[in-house]
Every structure is written in structure tokens, then in C-alpha cells.
Amino acid sequence: KLSSPDLDARKEGIDALSAVADESKLPIIDQALSTEKDAKLKALLEVVRAKALLAAAEPARRIEGARFLSEAGSPEARALLMERLQEDAETDPSVRQVLSIALDKVNSSLAWGERAGVVFTGISLGSILLLAALGLAITYGLMGVINMAHGELMMIGAYATYVVQGLFRSHLPEAWFDWYLVAALPVAFGAAALVGAAMERGVLRFLYGRPLETLLASWGISLVLMQAVRTLFGAQNVQVENPSWLSGGFDLFSNLTLPYNRLAIIAFAVLVLVGMTLLITQTRMGLLARGV
């Protein structure tokens, strides 16, 4: 499998070799390394080689493996070093010292990825909350309405996206499916806007100036909308798939991958925020809104 032209087959071969890696497998690993062209598989093979070196009889080879893993700075390297540092796994004091230094270096390297992951997760989730808060702030700031159905309006947009996905899957060629999200954007905004307009015309316009009553009325509307969705689509969650161009991610660190769909959400939130800012500060509609 290591010499197969198929990437997946070579990956399977590397995984199998990793499970039994020891000093006797080093010639096989070195031969595979000399012919491997794929960068990711080559990196995996190098870790397998370091694992085999850690099990070598000579202390110098074990030290070589430990030093390589210290430079790799990956979660796999940390796991191998910790395993080797367990009691009775390594008895040579000089090798244990090198292993400890290597583990400290790997932990220091991985810490940056973990910190960046926390920051990215916060920005990603915060961008979604930003979109929700923006609508609530504008509604209350301009209309004095405490809209308890705001989350349900976002839900309407989400189900509109699900419906567009289903239409693309059942009525259009498969090659077009990747673009369903582009078509779903205006549909989702439009569906939420229509329901919001119906709420305002049918109920809220009669309650201006009475915030508590708008709160109670919109809460009642939220229950109606939730039950309507349960009746139409069922109580179980439905799945909205990523198009292929939003699948996968960007490897920032060895222990941090930034998913493309999360990056797209952040970019979309920024665009909406900038668009709303320009609308409110640079247009006649924005002037009227600020006047109110």
C-alpha cells in the first residue's frame, strides 16, 4: 500500500505501519519517505519514523527521535513523548532528559494553537450573536418593540434555506447543488422580512408605545411560529449541508484548523455590519431612522 498510486491506500499503509512501528521497520519507512510526494503523507511518515526511533535499542537513536518530535510540534508528537516518559518506558536518564525538554517545547508550541482556537471560536460564535443582536437593537431602538419572536424570525430564514436546498436537490442538476446557498440568501432574508412585516401590520402596529404588551404579543407569535414549523417540517432538526466550496478548512497550526464555513460566517457578519452602518449613516432612509 505504501507504493500505491492511490492516496487513500498509502494513508492506510502508513496507519498500519504506525501501529507496529519499531526499529526493524526503519528501512521500510525510509524507503517510503524517499518516494512519497504528498506533503501531508510525508509528514505522517516522518512521525512514524520518529516513533520507530523512540523504540530503538541505541540511546542516540531514541534521542534523535525525541528531537525530531520536538520540532514537529503536533498533538501526535506530544502523545508519543508522554507515552515514552511513562514509568519503565525509558530508563536512560540522558534520554529522559531530552524527552522532557522535547515535551516542554511541544507543549509550548501547541499552546499558541489552543489560544488561537479559543479566540477564533469566540469570534465565530460572536459573529452569529452579532447578527441577532443587530436586529434586536434596531427593532427596539427605532420602534420601541421588544420582539420576543426575533429568534423565530431567524428560524424562518433557516428553514427557508432548507427548502431551497431541497428544491435544488430534487429539481435541478446535481452540478448546481453547490450554488444553492447563494440562491438561499435572498430567499431567507425575504421570508423573514415577509413574516416580520405581517407581524407588524397584523399585531404590533396597534401596540406602539406599550413595550410590555409588545413583549407579550411577540412572545405569543413566537409560539405560533414554532408550532407552525413543527407542523410543516416535524419536531426533529433538519440538516443544511455545506456546499463543497465551504467544506474543509485552513490549517493555521498543527492543532488548529479554521473551517471555511466558519470563516464565511465571520466574513458575512462583517459585510452585514458594514452594510447596516452605511445604510444608517449614508442614505436618506438612514437619516430618517436616526431622526426617529
Side-chain angles (χ1 to χ4, degrees):
K1 287 185 175 180
L2 291 173
S3 59
S4 169
D6 182 58
L7 273 176
D8 291 334
R10 298 207 301 276
K11 173 69 166 57
E12 288 176 12
I14 293 169
D15 290 341
L17 191 58
S18 177
V20 293
D22 57 31
E23 192 173 12
S24 67
K25 307 297 187 301
L26 283 171
I28 301 171
I29 299 169
D30 290 336
Q31 183 182 352
L33 270 171
S34 66
T35 57
E36 183 57 62
K37 303 298 183 185
D38 184 80
K40 289 186 177 180
L41 293 186
K42 197 163 188 173
L44 288 176
L45 272 169
E46 286 172 344
V47 172
V48 174
R49 185 177 188 276
K51 182 178 180 180
L53 286 171
L54 287 181
E58 296 178 17
R61 304 202 84 175
R62 300 203 297 275
I63 288 174
E64 180 189 347
R67 284 177 175 160
F68 173 81
L69 290 174
S70 72
E71 297 299 327
S74 64
E76 294 81 5
R78 176 164 60 183
L80 289 172
L81 290 168
M82 291 176 68
E83 182 181 352
R84 191 67 192 176
L85 276 168
Q86 289 177 356
E87 292 183 11
D88 301 328
E90 180 57 65
T91 56
D92 190 303
S94 61
V95 178
R96 287 190 70 86
Q97 183 180 8
V98 174
L99 287 168
S100 297
I101 293 171
L103 182 59
D104 289 341
K105 188 173 180 180
V106 170
N107 283 332
S108 177
S109 174
L110 291 177
W112 285 105
E114 290 165 1
R115 294 188 194 107
V118 170
V119 172
F120 178 75
T121 300
I123 293 172
S124 175
L125 296 177
S127 64
I128 298 171
L129 297 176
L130 169 68
L131 292 175
L134 191 61
L136 284 170
I138 291 172
T139 304
Y140 182 70
L142 296 183
M143 303 170 69
V145 171
I146 303 172
N147 183 16
M148 294 294 289
H150 187 68
E152 282 66 37
L153 292 180
M154 297 183 74
M155 173 192 71
I156 294 296
Y159 275 97
T161 303
Y162 171 73
V163 170
V164 172
Q165 172 189 263
L167 291 174
F168 265 67
R169 179 173 283 130
S170 58
H171 293 90
L172 292 174
E174 186 177 349
W176 291 23
F177 181 77
D178 274 350
W179 299 103
Y180 88 87
L181 199 57
V182 176
L185 273 175
V187 174
F189 275 104
L194 285 173
V195 174
M199 282 174 55
E200 197 277 336
R201 284 288 146 186
V203 178
L204 298 179
R205 65 182 301 189
F206 304 109
L207 301 175
Y208 287 138
R210 291 178 282 179
L212 181 59
E213 292 182 30
T214 62
L215 183 153
L216 293 172
S218 59
W219 178 59
I221 293 170
S222 75
L223 297 178
V224 172
L225 292 176
M226 280 191 284
Q227 188 55 48
V229 164
R230 286 195 185 100
T231 302
L232 287 172
F233 298 98
Q236 299 299 316
N237 288 343
V238 296
Q239 184 176 359
V240 177
E241 293 183 19
N242 274 337
S244 62
W245 48 275
L246 280 182
S247 299
F250 169 69
D251 293 331
L252 188 61
F253 295 103
S254 61
N255 61 333
L256 176 61
T257 299
L258 307 183
Y260 292 137
N261 59 346
R262 294 258 182 171
L263 291 170
I265 289 170
I266 293 171
F268 182 71
V270 170
L271 285 174
V272 171
L273 184 60
V274 171
M276 285 303 305
T277 302
L278 293 175
L279 179 71
I280 290 174
T281 60
Q282 303 295 324
T283 67
R284 177 173 174 78
M285 180 188 292
L287 177 66
L288 296 174
R290 284 182 286 129
V292 171

